[in-house]
Amino acid sequence: MLRTEERLSMRPAHLQTYWYTTPSNRSHTLNHGDFHPFAAGPSCGSVPRVRAGIAGHRPGRSGGRLPLVAAVCATLAGVAGCRSYEARALDLTAHAAAWRARTSKAATALEDGAAVRAGIDVDGFELSDGVELSEALALALVFNPDLRQARARAGVATSAAREAGLWSDPQVGVEALRIAESVSDPWVSISNLSFSIPLSDRLAAARELGGANVDQALAGVAAAEWELVRNVRQAWAAWSGTVRSIAALEAFVAALDELSTGVQGLVDSGELPRTEAALFGVERARQAAAALRLQGQRAAAELELRALLGLAPEAELKWVPADITSKPDPAGSGLGQAWIERHPRLVERRAAYEVAEQRLRLQIARQWPDLLLGPQFESDSGQSRIGFVAGIPVPVFNANRQGIARAEAGRELVRVQCEVELERIGSRLAIARGLSDNLALLRAEYEQQVLPLAERQLEDALALLQIGEGSSLLLLQSLTRSLGAELDWVTACADLSANDAELRYWTGPPSPPEMNELQERNDER
């Protein structure tokens, strides 16, 4: 995995994710600067104190109160260094306006790293001539709402990791007593400044845990990106199939409109009964209604695509359907068990297991207490004393046993989750491969048998009708069968394209050599 400094240098809005490394042998180091007693985290709480006094000189009545003044000044200096609250207004109206104004110019914000990981060949954006699938994927990787939330959550982990493993804040203690009897100097003051010094590797473990949380968050972004690519591809395949089906229905209705003149002529000449001619009108109206229903589905699918891409419903874009009739490249062939190392969901699970490991390490480190050490000043009846205060809890009754037990059980839970996820992905991959083979055979059957037979039947029916030996009902039936065969073929093509996206998703992202080659091509542009 990356070192923490490299992770934290990434901006949350454009987080890079890496799929081909394992979160082991990590060495996270956060440069918090040299230790300063007034620039650390919260105090470690109260602990038993052991006082040792050293008698000093007698500087006078006012000199005995100087340590108290110094302690108060130190406290005020620490408070002055704290960060003040700054409100930031939430303007949803302005965001709504910006959401509706998203155009192709915003696509220049596409993170090339995300495109490469998704296997997208970034070749510039020109949406004025229509949005193609690759451009839609690029837009989704920038504007998809769920992906934007995943990156924001990764930003939270990144910000937290920056401040992990800090020293506890120093603790200032002040005691003031007044002697009830009449004495020349009735005040007794005690002030101390103590520092919490860790005796274990608790701070290092906290930094490691922060880095592991960043790894898991970035892996979660990568998994969300890869799942989004699958969803967009499947939605695009379904929408493209609907567009192709509408075109087939409209062509059928247009063909019946061309035949209507000839059919009406046969009716007028008495060669065709009016009841048979009416069947042409009924079939035309039925298929026109089917086209109208698919047009509604197409409009709804386009709105779903806009939502998936993070665009406003009224965004004026022309959509270019994918060629679902072209045979897809075989996805996942010859990969063997590579998906075990490459799949983003397994990478994210491995990162979660590393988080559980580092959490257990931190809990074990917390069983060793911190040493409380610091100077102490005392003024009693005009006499000043300087000493030190030291204390340490004894890990006998607690020793953070509950925290350790919970962390161990949590690590076991994550291990089971990793194993279950592997089994689930392996099963879904096998299902997708089997379904891909079946859909490929079905499509080949339509292309090699059903469509040629339906086309030949239609040609024969037209030829017989032209020589006066055919039947109008036979022609209508041939036209309807040909339309049905074409619609079934389009459905098979769309299903195969959608399942190809599913198969690619479970197979995993491109291999590192493929990603490097794609990155080089994008860099050349």
Side-chain angles (χ1 to χ4, degrees), residues 19 25 56 58 127 164 166 175 180 196 233 313 358 361 364 380 414 420 428 458 460 462 482 486:
W19 289 345
N25 300 325
R58 305 179 62 179
L127 305 186
L166 295 175
E175 299 178 15
S196 179
R233 289 184 183 274
Q358 297 304 325
R361 175 189 172 189
I364 291 177
D380 185 358
V414 177
V420 170
R428 299 304 302 177
L458 180 59
D460 293 342
L462 287 172
S482 178
E486 184 175 1

Side-chain angles (χ1 to χ4, degrees), residues 184-368:
S184 60
D185 192 345
W187 288 101
V188 178
S189 63
I190 303 173
S191 60
N192 59 71
L193 179 64
S194 57
F195 303 96
S196 179
I197 302 175
L199 300 180
S200 64
D201 64 340
R202 177 176 58 84
L203 301 184
R207 288 192 291 268
E208 288 290 330
L209 178 58
N213 285 326
V214 173
D215 285 341
Q216 183 181 7
L218 294 178
V221 173
E225 289 175 354
W226 190 237
E227 184 174 357
L228 175 63
V229 170
R230 186 268 306 270
N231 295 340
V232 173
R233 289 184 183 274
Q234 288 184 333
W236 204 269
W239 170 77
S240 300
T242 301
V243 173
R244 187 64 181 260
S245 298
I246 292 174
L249 288 171
E250 291 177 344
F252 178 84
V253 171
L256 288 184
D257 288 339
E258 293 180 1
L259 290 174
S260 62
T261 303
V263 171
Q264 187 61 38
L266 293 176
V267 173
D268 295 339
S269 63
E271 298 181 9
L272 182 66
R274 188 173 299 277
T275 54
E276 293 186 10
L279 293 177
F280 283 85
V282 171
E283 188 64 24
R284 181 196 181 283
R286 192 172 73 89
Q287 299 302 338
L292 186 62
R293 175 176 57 83
L294 289 182
Q295 288 173 359
Q297 294 180 1
R298 179 184 64 184
E302 290 177 355
L303 289 176
E304 289 288 345
L305 283 173
R306 283 179 169 84
L308 198 58
L309 270 58
L311 302 177
E314 58 270 21
E316 296 183 359
L317 292 172
K318 177 183 177 182
W319 306 96
V320 179
D323 185 11
I324 59 174
T325 62
S326 61
K327 294 183 179 180
D329 297 331
S333 59
L335 290 178
Q337 301 297 312
W339 57 271
I340 296 179
E341 298 295 332
R342 291 170 48 183
H343 201 281
R345 287 172 61 167
L346 289 179
V347 174
E348 194 274 336
R349 287 291 85 200
R350 289 191 186 93
Y353 188 81
E354 179 67 10
V355 170
E357 286 279 11
Q358 297 304 325
R359 185 175 290 117
L360 175 59
R361 175 189 172 189
L362 178 59
Q363 294 300 326
I364 291 177
R366 281 178 175 173
Q367 69 181 326
W368 304 105

Side-chain angles (χ1 to χ4, degrees), residues 19-20 112-113 115-122 226 329-335 338 342 504 507-523 525:
W19 289 345
Y20 307 108
D112 289 344
V116 171
R117 289 190 299 276
I120 303 173
D121 194 353
V122 181
W226 190 237
D329 297 331
S333 59
L335 290 178
R342 291 170 48 183
R504 290 179 183 275
T507 301
S511 63
E514 294 172 339
M515 291 177 61
N516 293 336
E517 181 180 353
L518 184 58
Q519 183 67 61
E520 291 176 358
R521 291 202 303 267
N522 292 337
D523 292 341
R525 297 188 180 98

